Amino acid sequence: MLENIRIVLVNTTHPGNIGGVARAMKNMGLSDLCLIEPRRFPHADASARAAGADDILTNATVVESLEDALADCHLVVGTSARSRTIPWPLVNPRELAAIVTPLPSTTRVAIVFGREDRGLTNEELQRCHQHVHIPVNEQFSSLNLAAAVQVITYEMRMAQECDVSDAKPRWGTEWDVDLADGRELERLFDHFEEALTEIDFLDPDKPRNLMPRLQRLLLRAVPDKIEVNILRGMLTAIQKGCRR
Amino acid sequence: MLENIRIVLVNTTHPGNIGGVARAMKNMGLSDLCLIEPRRFPHADASARAAGADDILTNATVVESLEDALADCHLVVGTSARSRTIPWPLVNPRELAAIVTPLPSTTRVAIVFGREDRGLTNEELQRCHQHVHIPVNEQFSSLNLAAAVQVITYEMRMAQECDVSDAKPRWGTEWDVDLADGRELERLFDHFEEALTEIDFLDPDKPRNLMPRLQRLLLRAVPDKIEVNILRGMLTAIQKGCRR
């Protein structure tokens, strides 16, 4: 399970923090690190703070966008300091471990960490199935990036190694179909946007919260591949119907 | 409880680590830091890594011996990388939190962290009631000092703040909208069936599993009233579009 968890860092400013994250990951048995446009990387500060976790840095993927980072991921979790404009499913690190641990072994999970100074944007957070929040002292709530990764990966390891969770499979039963990955969900949401615009339900000039609300609804359910195909088929039928 | 926990650092070499520990402590709501003969302290690196937790550094006690650090403590816990010559009570951080949390509020607890390179000596460990071990990857087991403090104080905070036995809102956060009731969902599914038939996506003579799959998907997400309204509005727009 730990090998299937990707740590995604968005626009990290200090290369030392990337090294600290690599060390925390390796301490907990994770290895998949993905960097979205880091300010400076590779960098001597990263290697110094990695303190021997250089392999994690060497094998890190550097990409340009969140879409690239999440393309093959089935469950995306965003780290969030506070509640946002519309509520989103929010768990603490232990609850997250209880969700992730029972998933089928083919499930690829991404945990996304934001910028040192201002975290993730609303738009980035809306790409996530789940948000996770570390219960900090509200009077001093800014965690160091590597510290946040340490706590969350510690919980993942505890759940796997120390068998403390009485976690049940997510839906209490074996699923018969693979879950949709990030690329498939991305296409689905694009298709929704396109079709809903064609039938004048979505006004691109006044989108309100329509797409975030639809995304949140569907992400909460964590759709499988057949379900995504059904929705895509429905959208195509809508477009054909309107073009007649 | 958190105010009664003293973090004791023995012979810390890098002042930056002392700052990182102060930040981790304050993040989790602890304030009592005791330093036994630190190599360099106070130091600019400590203040830099503290990132605003300067009050913890200012109020830190600097002492010469473990005896001085522990004089008024009732329970002493040593952090240990591995089992020592003779077995000692050894718990993981979660088990430690379960031991510490129910103690009377007057109990003063010390958690002792060793040197960056070689931890605590056997003699120091034998001064402790308990040992605590963070379950790390045995192939890469050396945790950064601040990371170790972060994980252990996180568990203390979780035990105090997040009584996980409490029933929580379904998504871990207050929702802003009431959930849809059974009648609303029934109408939604009827509406889906009607609209999907109109656009020839659903064939009433060969319905396959289309409606059960759609229902299962939406029910898994447990939609709220706004989400149901959005879907109903979308279905109405689809019907209008096709009747044009």
Side-chain angles (χ1 to χ4, degrees), chain A residues 54-128:
Chain A
D54 303 88
D55 52 330
I56 308 276
L57 295 178
T58 309
N59 296 325
T61 322
V62 180
V63 300
E64 285 182 9
S65 69
L66 194 56
E67 291 83 72
D68 293 343
L70 305 180
D72 61 345
C73 292
H74 305 92
L75 179 70
V76 180
V77 182
T79 50
S80 176
R82 66 200 77 82
S83 58
R84 301 288 169 153
T85 41
I86 57 174
W88 214 267
L90 181 70
V91 292
N92 68 37
R94 184 155 317 155
E95 292 164 336
L96 178 64
I99 289 171
V100 168
T101 308
L103 291 172
S105 63
T106 51
T107 311
R108 193 164 292 280
V109 177
I111 308 180
V112 187
F113 294 81
R115 301 146 191 88
E116 286 98 331
D117 54 347
R118 57 205 166 81
L120 296 169
T121 65
N122 280 340
E123 200 185 9
E124 288 160 347
L125 283 166
Q126 285 161 5
R127 299 283 311 274
C128 301

Side-chain angles (χ1 to χ4, degrees), chain B residues 19-35:
Chain B
V21 166
R23 181 175 182 179
M25 287 174 60
K26 190 165 181 178
N27 282 149
M28 294 298 138
L30 280 75
S31 58
D32 185 353
L33 175 61
C34 179
L35 309 171

Side-chain angles (χ1 to χ4, degrees), chain A residues 105-201:
Chain A
S105 63
T106 51
T107 311
R108 193 164 292 280
V109 177
I111 308 180
V112 187
F113 294 81
R115 301 146 191 88
E116 286 98 331
D117 54 347
R118 57 205 166 81
L120 296 169
T121 65
N122 280 340
E123 200 185 9
E124 288 160 347
L125 283 166
Q126 285 161 5
R127 299 283 311 274
C128 301
H129 297 79
Q130 287 276 345
H131 295 166
V132 60
H133 173 67
I134 299 175
V136 286
N137 172 6
E138 291 304 330
Q139 273 75 54
F140 187 71
S141 61
S142 164
L143 277 170
N144 169 263
L145 187 57
V149 170
Q150 187 73 69
V151 164
I152 288 174
T153 57
Y154 159 78
E155 281 285 6
M156 298 295 154
R157 186 172 184 85
M158 281 290 281
Q160 172 160 307
E161 300 287 303
C162 299
D163 195 20
V164 284
S165 75
D166 49 346
K168 292 174 186 163
R170 189 175 173 88
W171 297 301
T173 183
E174 290 293 317
W175 216 241
D176 54 347
V177 179
D178 284 343
L179 299 181
D181 65 27
R183 198 179 293 110
E184 290 163 325
L185 291 174
E186 199 56 37
R187 288 198 201 112
L188 173 65
F189 297 139
D190 287 348
H191 200 169
F192 255 108
E193 200 162 354
E194 190 184 298
L196 297 187
T197 305
E198 283 189 39
I199 60 172
D200 296 328
F201 184 59

